[in-house]
Amino acid sequence: MIEPISLAPVRAVVFDAVGTLLHPEPPVGAVYHAVGARHGSRLPREVVRARFHAAFARQEEADRAAGLRTDEARELARWRAIVAEVFDDVRDLEGCFQELYAHFASPGSWRCAAGSGGALRALAGRGLRVGIASNFDARLHGLVAGLEELASVRHVVVSSEVGWRKPSPRFFEAVCRQVGLAAPEVLLVGDDFENDYAGATAAGMGALLLGAEAREVPEARRLASLNDLVGQAARLSKLPLA
């Protein structure tokens, strides 16, 4: 149960995308391995997977060092850098990058989390504004439009378009502007403690944390699954934020 602390009612629920509502299917490591192999790579799958996670972490650190500023050009550059760091043995690095970039632009390359469609419909049915707020690029719009479970989403906030990545307060200010509400009226649901929970709460929003990192927050702020949100939907429009 969420413990009421402030007096502001929730009027919008905004979700993180990857890791919360969306999951790559097949997983990223398997896709990189298969695409790399088509371009001549002989790296084992586990090596590709480990290299991807290391390269991704380095790009995250580079963005933090740059003050969390971003745009479409930066997002392209970060993914090119990740592909280049993963594969040092492909024949056509740019061709490999383009195939991977296109793959993850397709709705068919993603699955929605269990319970997500029902949770979003329940929230919208209560008159709550439903949105997605993500460190992503313009490809996210096509994913939202192409996945039936996300039909209730009315607001999509993308870091490359607002110029700031989570957990920058500027990103969360953009979320509030887009949904047309003050920060205390907006609830953020995510799976990353620093980017989602800490970033949203520092900006004055409410937050719920889903998944493994939820152990870092009070029990009242945890979600075991998005199905839990369905049971809360009938209360959210009257529920004060923590």
Side-chain angles (χ1 to χ4, degrees):
M1 178 177 178
I2 302 173
E3 299 168 350
I5 297 176
S6 87
L7 298 177
V10 174
R11 297 177 61 195
V13 183
V14 179
F15 294 81
D16 169 57
V18 180
T20 300
L21 288 181
L22 296 176
H23 300 275
E25 187 63 39
V28 170
V31 173
Y32 266 63
H33 179 259
V35 172
R38 283 198 288 275
H39 287 269
S41 174
R42 295 187 177 182
L43 294 172
R45 179 180 294 190
E46 284 309 307
V47 171
V48 170
R49 181 178 178 277
R51 286 189 177 190
F52 171 83
H53 287 294
F56 185 87
R58 270 186 275 277
Q59 291 302 312
E60 290 286 291
E61 181 55 39
D63 283 325
R64 285 191 291 271
L68 299 170
R69 293 301 301 266
T70 192
D71 54 26
E72 282 293 311
R74 165 57 191 150
E75 293 303 313
L76 279 168
R78 88 191 311 265
W79 288 111
R80 276 197 172 91
I82 288 170
V83 172
E85 187 170 339
V86 172
F87 296 112
D88 55 9
D89 64 342
V90 297
R91 294 185 297 267
D92 177 8
L93 187 59
E94 179 62 16
C96 184
F97 163 74
Q98 292 291 346
E99 185 173 346
L100 285 164
Y101 197 79
H103 173 90
F104 291 107
S106 169
S109 300
W110 299 84
R111 63 175 174 83
C112 290
S116 57
L120 297 176
R121 287 190 298 272
L123 295 170
R126 292 294 301 173
L128 292 159
R129 304 174 196 185
V130 177
I132 290 178
S134 177
N135 283 345
F136 213 108
D137 51 63
R139 292 176 294 174
L140 184 59
H141 293 289
L143 301 183
V144 174
L147 292 165
E148 183 179 353
E149 294 96 325
L150 305 184
S152 298
V153 172
R154 292 293 177 266
H155 303 277
V156 180
V157 184
V158 184
S159 60
S160 68
E161 296 175 348
V162 302
W164 301 91
R165 293 176 62 83
K166 293 184 286 185
S168 168
R170 301 284 188 89
F171 179 91
F172 295 103
E173 289 168 8
V175 171
C176 294
R177 283 197 302 272
Q178 186 156 146
V179 299
L181 296 169
E185 299 174 297
V186 183
L187 179 72
L188 190 285
V189 179
D191 71 309
D192 185 287
F193 176 79
E194 181 179 357
N195 286 342
D196 298 322
Y197 187 88
T201 55
M205 297 165 59
L208 297 176
L209 198 60
L210 173 74
E213 293 194 19
R215 64 182 181 275
E216 300 186 39
V217 305
E219 187 174 355
R221 299 280 97 192
R222 301 174 191 171
L223 282 177
S225 73
L226 290 176
N227 286 319
D228 290 352
L229 210 50
V230 178
Q232 295 173 4
R235 300 187 296 110
L236 277 172
S237 61
K238 299 178 181 178
L239 185 66
L241 298 180

